[in-house]
Amino acid sequence: MTGLETKFHPPSQPVMLSDGAVISGYASVFGVRDQGGDVVMPGAYAASLKRLAARDGRVRMLWQHDQSQPIGVWDEVVEDAHGLRVRGRLLTEVTKGREAAALMAAGAVDGLSIGYRTLRAEKLPEGGRKLIELELWEVSLVTFPMLPVARASAKSDGGLLLDFARGIEAARDALRG
């Protein structure tokens, strides 16, 4: 995984969690400038996800971008109109997966971060890049995501918490103008 780029930044908001080892959220949101000045464009992951599916590959779930610490499996990695939506399971049979579940339940960790290679990008006049095509390698559970809205939630209720979190994010964004 030499040369892989990642996105980190301190969290800007708390996340509500419930019991369970199922986690979901947006690992990347389109059109939102991250703390490094980059903006991921819609369609950036499409070709990468298609290539992975063609060879029966998987996006890996890692702890803090450490390739020696897989903590679960992503059952669903989908590019939708909002961004890169993920849903997966922490493997609590693995020590680090059990620790990650406990840290999420306590609210100590709630960030998601992508590990990728840039295939096509354009420089933005105000700095940073417009990321047009990315080769996605992994999505990590992290303490500090670069994109503050890249959050995970632990759930056992079929997605109600994710919907609630999206509503809170939308209300916060509306208040900020």
Side-chain angles (χ1 to χ4, degrees):
M1 291 181 20
T2 304
L4 222 57
E5 295 180 63
T6 59
K7 300 284 185 189
F8 286 105
H9 193 270
S12 64
Q13 65 189 35
V15 146
M16 296 175 29
L17 304 171
S18 69
D19 295 337
V22 174
I23 62 174
S24 63
Y26 278 91
S28 177
V29 176
F30 298 136
V32 176
R33 182 178 290 275
D34 68 22
Q35 299 296 326
D38 291 342
V39 179
V40 178
M41 302 308 294
Y45 302 102
S48 178
L49 294 175
K50 187 175 181 178
R51 284 189 298 272
L52 275 171
R55 68 174 193 263
D56 210 21
R58 296 186 79 118
V59 174
R60 304 300 178 183
M61 182 191 296
L62 302 179
W63 175 250
Q64 308 283 357
H65 295 295
D66 184 344
Q67 64 184 329
S68 69
Q69 296 189 57
I71 58 171
V73 293
W74 293 117
D75 296 316
E76 183 178 69
V77 179
V78 177
E79 184 175 305
D80 64 19
H82 186 68
L84 186 69
R85 181 173 41 87
V86 296
R87 185 181 53 77
R89 294 168 283 128
L90 291 169
L91 298 178
T92 55
E93 301 84 2
V94 176
T95 301
K96 190 54 75 175
R98 197 167 39 255
E99 291 172 7
L103 289 166
M104 283 194 74
V109 174
D110 64 359
L112 292 174
S113 182
I114 57 173
Y116 63 97
R117 284 200 176 89
T118 302
L119 300 180
R120 198 160 48 105
E122 296 174 1
K123 290 187 184 232
L124 294 169
E126 62 276 15
R129 303 171 294 172
K130 182 191 299 185
L131 301 175
I132 299 166
E133 185 178 356
L134 302 175
E135 180 183 8
L136 183 65
W137 279 67
E138 54 94 3
V139 175
S140 284
L141 188 58
V142 297
T143 309
F144 303 118
M146 179 66 92
L147 186 64
V149 295
R151 296 283 180 233
S153 64
K155 64 176 182 152
S156 59
D157 61 4
L160 292 176
L161 283 176
L162 183 57
D163 292 339
F164 182 69
R166 283 186 195 143
I168 289 174
E169 287 177 9
R172 184 200 64 224
D173 291 344
L175 289 172
R176 287 185 179 164

